[in-house]
Amino acid sequence: MTAVAVRLGPRVGVVMTLAAFLGLVAFFWPFVVAPGTFGSSYAPPLIFGVLLVLVLCVVLSEIAEGGIDSKALAMLGVLSAVNAALRPLGAGTAGIETVFFVLVLAGRVYGPGFGFTLGCTSLFASALITGGVGPWMPYQMFGCAFVGMLAGLLPRASGRREVLMLAVYGSLSGYLFGFLLNLSFWPFSLDPNSSIAYLPGLPFTEQWHRYLAFDLATSLGWDTGRAVTNFVCVLLAGPAVLTTFRRAARKARFRAPVRFAAPRTAESDPH
């Protein structure tokens, strides 16, 4: 069961689709724009990073304009704070990331719009708390937004099948997040003479093979730690957290219409 906490109208849907497309272009910029095109080798990721921040502001403002009510906003604030507090517990230790399993479960219960927004706000709050503000932050925010959004788009399931599906998805999303984030700095991380370094002008297929080799050689172990953490956390805590989130959704009754009734007077009361 999914309790849609953020309503995605046609306009918000179009904006999110365009934002997702621009986000993919920003991540895959090494295959689109060669370093030095804008006068500096470091200009493309900075330009795309600023552009991602602007796009995220537009998406969040569109969602806030009419797609999210006060109860969903309160839930978003609570879960953003929880994720921001959880992230420092594991980040930096063998790839263990404790922020993703809450994001996956919340996206599943409250819908793709909520998952997208929670991914952005969680990483933003975490960056402010841990001092992790930098050119990489927009990419991290967008990567987590993708993880939360896709969790809300998973097919219907229930019981153990749902928990297992979410655990597998959480594991895959750990690899996906690392794969996307590596693209933002790959062109600057190695000696150009390396066989897995970015080399402007190569055909797409050879460039792609170089990146796959780079990702496997430098990031596979770290991403595996994240994937295993996600799988174990969802498998163990998933049933209880899903039940808690759904109970909260039933009590909050997101998107329920508000009706005002005139107060009853003594004259109109038959008793």
Side-chain angles (χ1 to χ4, degrees), residues 57-149:
C57 290
V58 171
V59 173
L60 296 180
S61 65
E62 287 286 342
I63 290 175
E65 185 177 331
I68 185 169
D69 60 14
S70 58
K71 292 173 289 187
L73 189 62
M75 179 65 73
L76 178 66
V78 170
L79 292 182
S80 297
V82 169
N83 265 349
L86 285 175
R87 194 180 182 206
L89 299 180
T93 307
I96 297 174
E97 292 274 5
T98 50
V99 69
F100 285 91
F101 85 98
V102 174
L103 179 59
V104 169
L105 298 175
R108 171 65 175 179
V109 173
Y110 300 127
F114 188 90
F116 184 94
T117 310
L118 180 62
C120 295
T121 55
S122 295
L123 265 292
F124 181 74
S126 173
L128 294 180
I129 292 175
T130 60
V133 178
W136 56 83
M137 188 180 71
Y139 294 93
Q140 291 179 336
M141 291 171 62
F142 226 100
C144 282
F146 276 135
V147 171
M149 180 180 68

Side-chain angles (χ1 to χ4, degrees), residues 42-257:
Y42 295 92
L46 293 177
I47 292 173
F48 281 121
V50 172
L51 200 57
L52 283 183
V53 172
L54 296 177
V55 169
L56 288 173
C57 290
V58 171
V59 173
L60 296 180
S61 65
E62 287 286 342
I63 290 175
E65 185 177 331
I68 185 169
D69 60 14
S70 58
K71 292 173 289 187
L73 189 62
M75 179 65 73
L76 178 66
V78 170
L79 292 182
S80 297
V82 169
N83 265 349
L86 285 175
R87 194 180 182 206
L89 299 180
T93 307
I96 297 174
E97 292 274 5
T98 50
V99 69
F100 285 91
F101 85 98
V102 174
L103 179 59
V104 169
L105 298 175
R108 171 65 175 179
V109 173
Y110 300 127
F114 188 90
F116 184 94
T117 310
L118 180 62
C120 295
T121 55
S122 295
L123 265 292
F124 181 74
S126 173
L128 294 180
I129 292 175
T130 60
V133 178
W136 56 83
M137 188 180 71
Y139 294 93
Q140 291 179 336
M141 291 171 62
F142 226 100
C144 282
F146 276 135
V147 171
M149 180 180 68
L150 293 176
L153 297 174
L154 292 174
R156 291 177 176 269
S158 59
R160 293 182 178 179
R161 286 185 58 190
E162 181 184 34
V163 174
L164 182 59
M165 178 184 69
L166 293 174
V168 172
Y169 169 74
S171 180
L172 295 177
S173 68
Y175 288 108
L176 174 64
F177 182 81
F179 184 85
L180 290 177
L181 263 294
N182 288 342
L183 281 166
S184 64
F185 63 85
W186 169 48
F188 319 115
S189 57
L190 294 174
D191 185 337
N193 296 321
S194 172
S195 61
I196 60 175
Y198 176 75
L199 191 60
L202 287 181
F204 174 81
T205 53
E206 187 173 348
Q207 202 80 275
W208 183 251
H209 290 158
R210 280 174 171 252
Y211 177 69
L212 291 179
F214 167 82
D215 186 67
L216 292 174
T218 63
S219 186
L220 181 62
W222 188 275
D223 293 343
T224 299
R226 183 189 300 113
V228 171
T229 303
N230 293 347
F231 185 87
V232 172
C233 287
V234 173
L235 204 62
L236 296 180
V241 175
L242 287 172
T243 301
T244 301
F245 284 171
R246 283 171 175 152
R247 183 181 297 118
R250 285 194 297 270
K251 290 184 177 181
R253 297 181 64 196
F254 298 118
R255 315 308 311 173

